[in-house]
Structures are given as C-alpha cells and as structure tokens.
Amino acid sequence: MLDRALQQHIAPAIERIAQGLVRRGVTANQLTLVGFAIGIAAAVLIALHLYQAALALILLSRLCDGLDGAVARITRPTDVGGFLDIALDFLFYAAIPLGFAFADPARNALAAATLLAAFAGTMSSFLAFAVLAARRQMYSLDYPDKSFYFLGGLTEATETLACFAAMCLWPQHFALLAYGFAALCAITTLTRLWWGSRALS
C-alpha cells in the first residue's frame, strides 16, 4: 500500500547510488545475491537473539533489493535478473519469521507458522496474477519499471519491512505482531483474488 509513495521519495537517492555502482562495475544480479545473503544472515542473527544486529542487516538487505532494480534499469534488465529478484525476495521474507521460530519455539513457532501461511497467500496470488497478466500482455501503470504486472495490496514490501523492524525492536511481542500482520496479509490475499478475478474476466 505504501510502496509507491515511498519509492517516489527515495527514487532520486537510489538512482544516484545506482549510477555510482554501475561506474564501479557492480551488476544488478550481484546486488540481488548479496542482498539475499545479507537477509539470510539477518535470520540467523534473529535465531541467536541478536535482534538489533539483525535489524541492521535487514535494512541493508532491502537497500540492496532497491538498488538491484535501479542498476538493472541503468544497464539492461534481464529475465534472469527479474526471476532471481522475486524468487530470492520471497525466500528472504519467509526466513525472518522462521528465525523468530528458532529463537523461541515455545512462544513463537505457532505464530510464525501462521504468518508463513499468510505469506503463502499473498505470494501465490501475487505470482498467479503476474503469470496470467504477462500472457495477456497486461502492463501496470502504477509500477511501469517492474519486470511484470502484479496486483498491489494492503501488505506490500514497505509494510512487511516495518513489521520486521517492529519484531526486531520488540521481540517479546513477536507473536502478537505476527498474528496481526497475518490478518492483514489475509485481507491482501482476498482483495487480490477479487481484483485479479475481475481484471482477468
């Protein structure tokens, strides 16, 4: 829901950093892989109860995620890059709740499982519509720079990042935050199913 507004504010800074990285020979795929590795390291730190350090790595990982697309647009976007970007993003999003489950299984495991199930709904509705939209050659006016057309929702990348940050800042409230965000994800899934069905009818 907030992704488009946030992107408009940070796009100039991201563009400047990306141009500097391109001059140094950094590729979009390198940033994608580095960002993913940093995100997985954050999940490991969460499992070890190092929550503040994990939050720093989560933010750095998402910076790489923003930069890889900007670098790709400056150079040449590729199908491989788009594939790696979305696939590794989803693995990152799943790894963070899993880290909290390992950190405190008795208190967090059920909440983490609930959130992961909710993520399955948002991810599957996201990708299913994108595949069919590509077949019909549909393009997004809201996200023209993306490599495929997808439906937005109440819980997009910005909201998920904010939730992860809150979990790292207040890990004792992970279960409450996870259940609350899972409910919002369920709303996102339902609205995507409704809008997607209408768009494809």
Side-chain angles (χ1 to χ4, degrees):
M1 186 174 66
L2 299 176
D3 282 8
R4 189 180 178 191
L6 179 64
Q7 288 169 4
Q8 289 175 343
H9 283 90
I10 67 173
I14 291 292
E15 185 74 15
R16 287 194 296 270
I17 297 171
Q19 289 173 351
L21 292 172
V22 169
R23 288 194 293 270
R24 289 167 175 78
V26 177
T27 69
N29 287 350
Q30 288 171 344
L31 287 168
T32 299
L33 294 172
V34 169
F36 173 69
I38 293 171
I40 296 302
V44 172
L45 291 181
I46 288 170
L48 297 174
H49 304 275
L50 300 173
Y51 302 111
Q52 293 185 350
L55 176 55
L57 291 190
I58 288 172
L59 295 175
L60 182 58
S61 171
R62 295 307 86 192
L63 175 61
C64 292
D65 183 55
L67 288 169
D68 63 2
V71 167
R73 288 188 292 274
I74 293 171
T75 53
R76 184 174 66 87
T78 65
D79 289 342
V80 171
F83 169 72
L84 287 175
D85 183 34
I86 191 61
L88 296 183
D89 273 357
F90 283 174
L91 289 173
F92 159 77
Y93 289 131
I96 298 303
L98 185 62
F100 280 99
F102 276 104
D104 191 344
R107 295 177 59 186
N108 294 345
L110 182 58
T114 302
L115 183 55
L116 288 171
F119 280 173
T122 58
M123 292 173 183
S124 61
S125 59
F126 176 99
L127 290 176
F129 180 82
V131 168
L132 294 172
R135 181 186 296 175
R136 295 186 177 203
Q137 297 184 327
M138 298 166 65
Y139 300 98
S140 174
L141 297 178
D142 289 337
Y143 302 96
D145 293 329
K146 293 295 184 180
S147 55
F148 49 83
Y149 184 17
F150 61 90
L151 294 172
L154 187 61
T155 53
E156 296 180 322
T158 302
E159 292 82 10
T160 307
L161 178 58
C163 181
F164 286 171
M167 290 170 173
C168 290
L169 292 172
W170 300 287
Q172 69 275 20
H173 299 305
F174 168 80
L176 179 62
L177 291 166
Y179 286 129
F181 199 70
L184 296 178
C185 287
I187 295 172
T188 294
T189 300
L190 290 173
T191 56
R192 282 179 178 166
L193 290 173
W194 188 74
W195 282 109
S197 297
R198 289 193 51 160
L200 296 170
S201 294

